[in-house]
Amino acid sequence: MHYTLHQLQVFLKIAQLQSITKASEALNLTQPAVSIQLRNFQDQFPIPLTEVVGRKLYITDFGHEIAETCEKIINELQLINYKTLSFQGQLSGRLRISIVSTAKYMMPYFLTEFVQRHPGIELIIDVTNKSSVIESLEANEIDFAMVSVLPEKLKVHRVELMENRLHLVSSSKLDVKAFRTKTDLLEKVPMIFRESGSATRKAMEDFLSKRGVSVKTKMALTSNEAVKQAVLANLGVSVMPLIGIKNELKNNDLQIIPLRGLPIITTWNLIWLSAKNLSPIALAYLDFLNTKKDEIMKKQFHWVEAYKDI
């Protein structure tokens, strides 16, 4: 067999996109060029890699096996490239990450040392809502996304980082003891929600639904910071991520209201498309993250342990 790296790359892209047309667009090649590379690659195997049914291209079971091997080979070659560049201190280019607004309280800590090691890197972070994060990921506009709830319709790989703990929070000015029960509090004090589509909002709605709580007064705000400011102003209570209220708790401006069923615990995940060919910079960052994440969590987020029994 005498297949080339280029043939491996072309076939992998065809297998990922299940289309010669889409593969040619993704690789900036003409359709005839992609077709020729596919044919030359296929000629080296006695078993079909693809089949056409009703004018649609399908990858055979054998083809999927070969595609997985192609991906491993290409990733290993990229690994050699990035390790060489990293050793020489020459990593450069863009690292693009999209994160939900709550993640801005923790994501920078997982980037600082990596960026300091590689000053030639241009870091682009888009802080937005969950829907926009997933749209950017699906459109292949970014390298990574940071979410606490995995997208249901996308095939992704992930690195688990730290827990995302959601507590019921109010201004310290609110007299919790003035209410007969916690359910009484939830029904009488305005509830402050995130916008529709937010993972925090869904977690909050699911929690209230399970408790059978009927919220009479509520408001919706489009960022975690806006929710925090509204709670600080004693406009109502909300279920908020612990990592976003460290200073307010320390200064006694906010209080956590203990409640059965809380905190809601999810996990922060750095995710990327399973079909994506990661750049040397992205591969280097994954290597850094897998090596350093536990150390970073212990150093930067040890304070959350004090609230684990609430």
Side-chain angles (χ1 to χ4, degrees):
M1 292 185 178
H2 302 287
Y3 36 74
T4 66
L5 176 60
H6 185 51
Q7 288 172 351
L8 299 183
Q9 292 170 326
V10 169
F11 179 67
L12 177 59
K13 189 59 65 176
I14 292 172
Q16 290 171 340
L17 300 176
Q18 304 227 1
S19 166
I20 290 177
T21 300
K22 291 179 180 179
S24 65
E25 291 172 355
L27 295 167
N28 294 315
L29 297 171
T30 65
Q31 289 186 42
V34 171
S35 296
I36 290 171
Q37 292 298 326
L38 175 60
R39 184 172 65 248
N40 291 341
F41 190 55
Q42 173 65 80
D43 287 345
Q44 299 180 71
F45 299 95
I47 304 172
L49 299 169
T50 64
E51 58 185 355
V52 177
V53 180
R55 301 184 66 181
K56 180 173 175 58
L57 180 75
Y58 293 91
I59 310 301
T60 65
D61 289 343
F62 177 66
H64 281 297
E65 293 286 338
I66 296 301
E68 288 182 9
T69 302
C70 289
E71 184 172 21
K72 290 177 183 177
I73 292 171
I74 291 168
N75 286 342
E76 287 300 316
L77 289 172
Q78 288 180 325
L79 198 63
I80 291 172
N81 290 337
Y82 103 71
K83 284 186 178 296
T84 302
L85 291 171
S86 179
F87 187 81
Q88 295 174 325
Q90 294 179 1
L91 273 180
S92 62
R94 291 181 177 178
L95 181 63
R96 299 163 298 175
I97 304 175
S98 185
I99 65 175
V100 294
S101 62
T102 308
K104 68 177 178 286
Y105 298 112
M106 46 82 68
M107 189 66 209
Y109 295 102
F110 290 94
L111 285 160
T112 302
E113 184 178 343
F114 180 74
V115 173
Q116 290 173 344
R117 285 186 186 182
H118 307 290
I121 290 176
E122 179 184 357
L123 177 63
I124 300 174
I125 300 180
D126 180 30
V127 182
T128 183
N129 57 50
K130 181 188 174 185
S131 297
S132 295
V133 169
I134 301 305
E135 286 173 6
S136 296
L137 185 68
E138 187 173 15
N140 198 28
E141 296 172 347
I142 56 177
D143 298 301
F144 300 109
M146 177 65 73
V147 294
S148 60
V149 177
L150 297 175
E152 296 179 357
K153 298 181 180 180
L154 294 180
K155 292 183 179 180
V156 298
H157 294 308
R158 64 170 171 162
V159 173
E160 292 187 6
L161 294 180
M162 57 182 287
E163 285 184 345
N164 180 33
R165 303 173 67 87
L166 303 170
H167 291 267
L168 181 65
V169 177
S170 78
S171 166
S172 296
K173 299 174 185 175
L174 181 69
D175 184 5
V176 176
K177 294 181 180 179
F179 298 89
R180 185 170 48 87
T181 64
K182 298 291 175 61
T183 299
D184 186 41
L185 182 153
L186 291 172
E187 291 182 341
K188 290 182 177 179
V189 178
M191 297 291 296
I192 304 174
F193 290 81
R194 285 287 305 277
E195 77 282 3
S196 295
S198 161
T200 301
R201 175 168 181 151
K202 186 177 186 310
M204 190 172 175
E205 289 176 333
D206 289 347
F207 170 74
L208 293 172
S209 177
K210 288 178 182 178
R211 287 185 64 95
V213 175
S214 176
V215 177
K216 295 182 175 62
T217 306
K218 64 182 181 181
M219 63 184 76
L221 301 175
T222 57
S223 74
N224 191 72
E225 192 63 31
V227 171
K228 181 167 68 176
Q229 293 304 320
V231 174
L232 281 167
N234 206 19
L235 286 175
V237 299
S238 186
V239 172
M240 301 185 66
L242 180 62
I243 59 169
I245 56 175
K246 175 184 177 182
N247 292 332
E248 289 74 17
L249 290 172
K250 183 179 179 181
N251 296 332
N252 293 318
D253 295 320
L254 292 178
Q255 61 180 329
I256 292 175
I257 302 175
L259 195 60
R260 182 178 297 177
L262 292 178
I264 300 166
I265 301 175
T266 59
T267 302
W268 286 113
N269 300 280
L270 187 76
I271 64 175
W272 65 99
L273 292 175
S274 299
K276 186 174 182 62
N277 287 323
L278 294 175
S279 68
I281 294 172
L283 286 169
Y285 182 58
L286 281 181
D287 188 41
F288 166 82
L289 203 57
N290 283 318
T291 302
K292 287 284 190 175
K293 64 176 183 176
D294 291 339
E295 179 184 325
I296 293 169
M297 286 186 285
K298 185 176 181 180
K299 180 179 180 181
Q300 301 295 342
F301 299 101
H302 59 88
W303 61 271
V304 302
E305 297 295 322
Y307 299 93
K308 283 203 169 182
D309 294 329
I310 295 179

